[in-house]
Amino acid sequence: MLTDCIFVGIGGFAGSVLRYLCGQAFPQGDFPLTTMGINVLGSFVLGTLAALVTRGMVTDDHLSLLLRVGLCGGFTTFSTLSLEAAGMMGEGRTVAGLAYVAGSCVLGVVAAMIGGSVASA
């Protein structure tokens, strides 16, 4: 368990630093294109890695944890939402997948607003 946590932590460090560097290299304007790009890229990378693991092309559990949970999780957690929603839709549960995406986005925005309000109070 501790070894797994170390691998996740190393990947998370790398993903977080990458996210920070992307933000520095591509400052955002009025619309958060950098964040959107990071989220889309993270979703693509996590989907690719998940497929490689499923096909047996990545067999090392520590490498999988480092890349999928650590790197992608540190870079963006939106990638996990995307992968889960894609899985639901791929299983024919399209309405549930779309509800998951919409619910996560709406509730996430509302939670951020509430958090901002609490912090301002």
Side-chain angles (χ1 to χ4, degrees):
M1 180 68 135
L2 179 60
T3 303
D4 291 348
C5 290
I6 291 170
F7 277 92
V8 170
I10 291 168
F13 171 80
S16 297
V17 170
L18 276 172
R19 182 182 182 99
Y20 171 75
L21 292 175
C22 286
Q24 295 302 302
F26 306 101
Q28 301 196 121
D30 292 338
F31 189 84
L33 285 176
T34 302
T35 301
M36 184 183 287
I38 287 168
N39 288 335
V40 171
L41 178 60
S43 298
F44 172 79
V45 170
L46 182 59
T48 301
L49 291 170
L52 292 174
V53 169
T54 299
R55 292 190 177 118
M57 299 175 80
V58 174
T59 57
D60 185 283
D61 290 339
H62 290 134
L63 179 61
S64 179
L65 284 172
L66 186 142
L67 295 174
R68 296 192 320 158
V69 178
L71 183 71
C72 289
F75 193 58
T76 173
T77 57
F78 184 82
S79 56
T80 301
L81 178 138
S82 299
L83 182 66
E84 292 170 346
M88 293 168 82
M89 290 181 208
E91 295 169 356
R93 300 184 304 148
T94 304
V95 172
L98 291 174
Y100 175 53
V101 170
S104 295
C105 290
V106 169
L107 293 173
V109 170
V110 169
M113 291 172 66
I114 292 170
S117 295
V118 168
S120 297

